[in-house]
PDB file of all heavy atoms in Angstrom:
ATOM      1  N   ARG A   7     109.422  98.200  91.826  1.00 93.00           N
ATOM      2  CA  ARG A   7     108.830  96.945  91.370  1.00 93.00           C
ATOM      3  C   ARG A   7     109.724  95.834  91.901  1.00 93.00           C
ATOM      4  O   ARG A   7     110.941  95.872  91.697  1.00 93.00           O
ATOM      5  CB  ARG A   7     108.821  96.863  89.829  1.00 93.00           C
ATOM      6  CG  ARG A   7     107.946  97.915  89.172  1.00 93.00           C
ATOM      7  CD  ARG A   7     107.909  97.683  87.662  1.00 93.00           C
ATOM      8  NE  ARG A   7     109.206  97.888  87.024  1.00 93.00           N
ATOM      9  CZ  ARG A   7     109.828  96.976  86.265  1.00 93.00           C
ATOM     10  NH1 ARG A   7     109.288  95.804  86.032  1.00 93.00           N
ATOM     11  NH2 ARG A   7     110.993  97.245  85.728  1.00 93.00           N
ATOM     12  N   SER A   9     111.094  91.976  92.162  1.00 96.00           N
ATOM     13  CA  SER A   9     111.252  90.710  91.453  1.00 96.00           C
ATOM     14  C   SER A   9     111.333  89.609  92.501  1.00 96.00           C
ATOM     15  O   SER A   9     112.325  89.493  93.222  1.00 96.00           O
ATOM     16  CB  SER A   9     112.544  90.767  90.629  1.00 96.00           C
ATOM     17  OG  SER A   9     112.822  89.505  90.077  1.00 96.00           O
ATOM     18  N   CYS A  29     120.401  93.496  94.717  1.00 87.00           N
ATOM     19  CA  CYS A  29     119.827  94.676  94.104  1.00 87.00           C
ATOM     20  C   CYS A  29     118.513  94.992  94.812  1.00 87.00           C
ATOM     21  O   CYS A  29     117.867  94.096  95.370  1.00 87.00           O
ATOM     22  CB  CYS A  29     119.551  94.447  92.628  1.00 87.00           C
ATOM     23  SG  CYS A  29     121.029  94.027  91.718  1.00 87.00           S
ATOM     24  N   CYS A  31     115.631  95.362  94.028  1.00 92.00           N
ATOM     25  CA  CYS A  31     114.370  94.756  93.586  1.00 92.00           C
ATOM     26  C   CYS A  31     114.321  93.258  93.880  1.00 92.00           C
ATOM     27  O   CYS A  31     113.271  92.638  93.721  1.00 92.00           O
ATOM     28  CB  CYS A  31     114.185  95.002  92.092  1.00 92.00           C
ATOM     29  SG  CYS A  31     115.639  94.563  91.142  1.00 92.00           S
ATOM     30  N   ASN A  32     115.425  92.648  94.298  1.00 92.00           N
ATOM     31  CA  ASN A  32     115.454  91.202  94.530  1.00 92.00           C
ATOM     32  C   ASN A  32     114.766  90.855  95.845  1.00 92.00           C
ATOM     33  O   ASN A  32     115.126  91.375  96.900  1.00 92.00           O
ATOM     34  CB  ASN A  32     116.896  90.688  94.596  1.00 92.00           C
ATOM     35  CG  ASN A  32     117.553  90.651  93.238  1.00 92.00           C
ATOM     36  OD1 ASN A  32     118.716  90.971  93.124  1.00 92.00           O
ATOM     37  ND2 ASN A  32     116.818  90.292  92.213  1.00 92.00           N
ATOM     38  N   HIS A 113     109.761  90.753  85.481  1.00 95.00           N
ATOM     39  CA  HIS A 113     110.524  91.902  85.927  1.00 95.00           C
ATOM     40  C   HIS A 113     111.555  92.326  84.879  1.00 95.00           C
ATOM     41  O   HIS A 113     111.689  93.517  84.589  1.00 95.00           O
ATOM     42  CB  HIS A 113     111.211  91.572  87.241  1.00 95.00           C
ATOM     43  CG  HIS A 113     111.973  92.716  87.812  1.00 95.00           C
ATOM     44  ND1 HIS A 113     111.344  93.752  88.459  1.00 95.00           N
ATOM     45  CD2 HIS A 113     113.295  93.009  87.815  1.00 95.00           C
ATOM     46  CE1 HIS A 113     112.263  94.629  88.848  1.00 95.00           C
ATOM     47  NE2 HIS A 113     113.447  94.217  88.479  1.00 95.00           N
ATOM     48  N   GLY A 114     112.255  91.333  84.328  1.00 93.00           N
ATOM     49  CA  GLY A 114     113.324  91.674  83.396  1.00 93.00           C
ATOM     50  C   GLY A 114     114.392  92.459  84.131  1.00 93.00           C
ATOM     51  O   GLY A 114     115.111  91.915  84.947  1.00 93.00           O
ATOM     52  N   SER A 115     114.450  93.765  83.908  1.00 91.00           N
ATOM     53  CA  SER A 115     115.372  94.583  84.671  1.00 91.00           C
ATOM     54  C   SER A 115     114.754  95.957  84.899  1.00 91.00           C
ATOM     55  O   SER A 115     113.865  96.371  84.183  1.00 91.00           O
ATOM     56  CB  SER A 115     116.719  94.730  83.953  1.00 91.00           C
ATOM     57  OG  SER A 115     116.530  95.425  82.748  1.00 91.00           O
ATOM     58  N   CYS A 116     115.221  96.608  85.955  1.00 91.00           N
ATOM     59  CA  CYS A 116     114.779  97.974  86.249  1.00 91.00           C
ATOM     60  C   CYS A 116     116.009  98.788  86.575  1.00 91.00           C
ATOM     61  O   CYS A 116     117.125  98.293  86.512  1.00 91.00           O
ATOM     62  CB  CYS A 116     113.768  97.977  87.403  1.00 91.00           C
ATOM     63  SG  CYS A 116     114.499  97.598  89.013  1.00 91.00           S
ATOM     64  N   HIS A 117     115.813 100.028  86.962  1.00 88.00           N
ATOM     65  CA  HIS A 117     116.980 100.888  87.223  1.00 88.00           C
ATOM     66  C   HIS A 117     117.830 100.371  88.371  1.00 88.00           C
ATOM     67  O   HIS A 117     118.996 100.725  88.493  1.00 88.00           O
ATOM     68  CB  HIS A 117     116.532 102.329  87.494  1.00 88.00           C
ATOM     69  CG  HIS A 117     115.747 102.501  88.754  1.00 88.00           C
ATOM     70  ND1 HIS A 117     114.436 102.079  88.873  1.00 88.00           N
ATOM     71  CD2 HIS A 117     116.092 103.014  89.947  1.00 88.00           C
ATOM     72  CE1 HIS A 117     114.019 102.350  90.092  1.00 88.00           C
ATOM     73  NE2 HIS A 117     114.998 102.907  90.763  1.00 88.00           N
ATOM     74  N   LEU A 118     117.252  99.508  89.224  1.00 87.00           N
ATOM     75  CA  LEU A 118     117.996  98.995  90.366  1.00 87.00           C
ATOM     76  C   LEU A 118     118.895  97.823  90.030  1.00 87.00           C
ATOM     77  O   LEU A 118     119.850  97.546  90.733  1.00 87.00           O
ATOM     78  CB  LEU A 118     117.032  98.584  91.476  1.00 87.00           C
ATOM     79  CG  LEU A 118     116.244  99.739  92.123  1.00 87.00           C
ATOM     80  CD1 LEU A 118     115.130  99.192  92.975  1.00 87.00           C
ATOM     81  CD2 LEU A 118     117.173 100.615  92.941  1.00 87.00           C
ATOM     82  N   CYS A 119     118.543  97.092  88.977  1.00 85.00           N
ATOM     83  CA  CYS A 119     119.293  95.848  88.716  1.00 85.00           C
ATOM     84  C   CYS A 119     119.975  95.852  87.356  1.00 85.00           C
ATOM     85  O   CYS A 119     120.441  94.824  86.907  1.00 85.00           O
ATOM     86  CB  CYS A 119     118.364  94.637  88.864  1.00 85.00           C
ATOM     87  SG  CYS A 119     116.937  94.618  87.791  1.00 85.00           S
ATOM     88  N   MET A 120     120.012  96.975  86.677  1.00 71.00           N
ATOM     89  CA  MET A 120     120.669  96.994  85.377  1.00 71.00           C
ATOM     90  C   MET A 120     122.176  96.894  85.538  1.00 71.00           C
ATOM     91  O   MET A 120     122.714  97.297  86.527  1.00 71.00           O
ATOM     92  CB  MET A 120     120.292  98.268  84.637  1.00 71.00           C
ATOM     93  CG  MET A 120     118.869  98.152  84.192  1.00 71.00           C
ATOM     94  SD  MET A 120     118.367  99.231  82.835  1.00 71.00           S
ATOM     95  CE  MET A 120     119.085 100.765  83.172  1.00 71.00           C
TER      96      MET A 120
HETATM   97 ZN1  LIG B 201     115.136  95.283  88.973  1.00 67.29          ZN
END
Side-chain angles (χ1 to χ4, degrees):
R7 296 185 294 125
S9 172
C29 301
C31 50
N32 286 141
H113 183 77
S115 64
C116 71
H117 66 286
L118 294 168
C119 59
M120 288 201 318

